[in-house]
Amino acid sequence: MKQLYLSLKEAGLMFKEDTEQGEVDFILFETYENGTIISGDVNTFETLFGDVEENPTYEALSGSHTFKLESTQYTMTAEEMGYQKYFDQWKEQGLFN
C-alpha cells in the first residue's frame, strides 16, 4: 500500500489529524462545495482492503474483499462498500501503477 499512499499524498489526498488515539493518517475521498469532506482513516482502509496490501492495483481493490469487523466476518466488493467511485477517480488521475 505504500506506493498507493505515496501517490495519494502527492495528489493532495492524504492528511494527518490529531485524534484521541494520537496523530492519524486519513485519505481524502471527496470535497463538497460547502467545504464538507468525506475521508477515512488509513487503519480502517487497511482493515477493509488489507487482503491486497502487497499489490493494491485498481483491479485488486475493485474486487471482492473479506475482512473482519469486531467478531463478524464480511465479504463485499468495493462497489458494495461505496469505494468504487473513488478507485475509478484515482485510476482516471493516474494514481495507480
Side-chain angles (χ1 to χ4, degrees):
M1 294 275 197
K2 287 182 177 140
Q3 183 58 48
L4 176 59
Y5 295 152
L6 284 173
S7 295
L8 292 172
K9 187 174 184 174
E10 288 174 7
L13 297 176
M14 296 212 48
F15 64 95
K16 293 184 182 291
E17 193 167 287
D18 287 323
T19 70
E20 291 178 2
Q21 290 79 32
E23 191 174 65
V24 176
D25 290 313
F26 283 85
I27 301 169
L28 176 63
F29 293 112
E30 204 164 348
T31 303
Y32 294 99
E33 288 181 19
N34 68 3
T36 302
I37 66 167
I38 304 294
S39 64
D41 67 272
V42 168
N43 290 336
T44 299
F45 188 82
E46 289 179 353
T47 296
L48 301 176
F49 299 101
D51 58 339
V52 297
E53 182 176 2
E54 296 300 317
N55 191 26
T57 63
Y58 171 79
E59 291 78 14
L61 286 166
S62 296
S64 182
H65 303 277
T66 299
F67 54 91
K68 194 171 190 175
L69 295 177
E70 296 181 6
S71 61
T72 305
Q73 184 167 306
Y74 300 89
T75 299
M76 300 174 76
T77 64
E79 183 72 38
E80 290 171 319
M81 289 187 273
Y83 285 90
Q84 188 62 50
K85 65 182 178 179
Y86 306 121
F87 299 156
D88 292 344
Q89 290 169 1
W90 296 352
K91 183 178 181 185
E92 288 175 20
Q93 295 172 19
L95 300 180
F96 290 104
N97 289 339

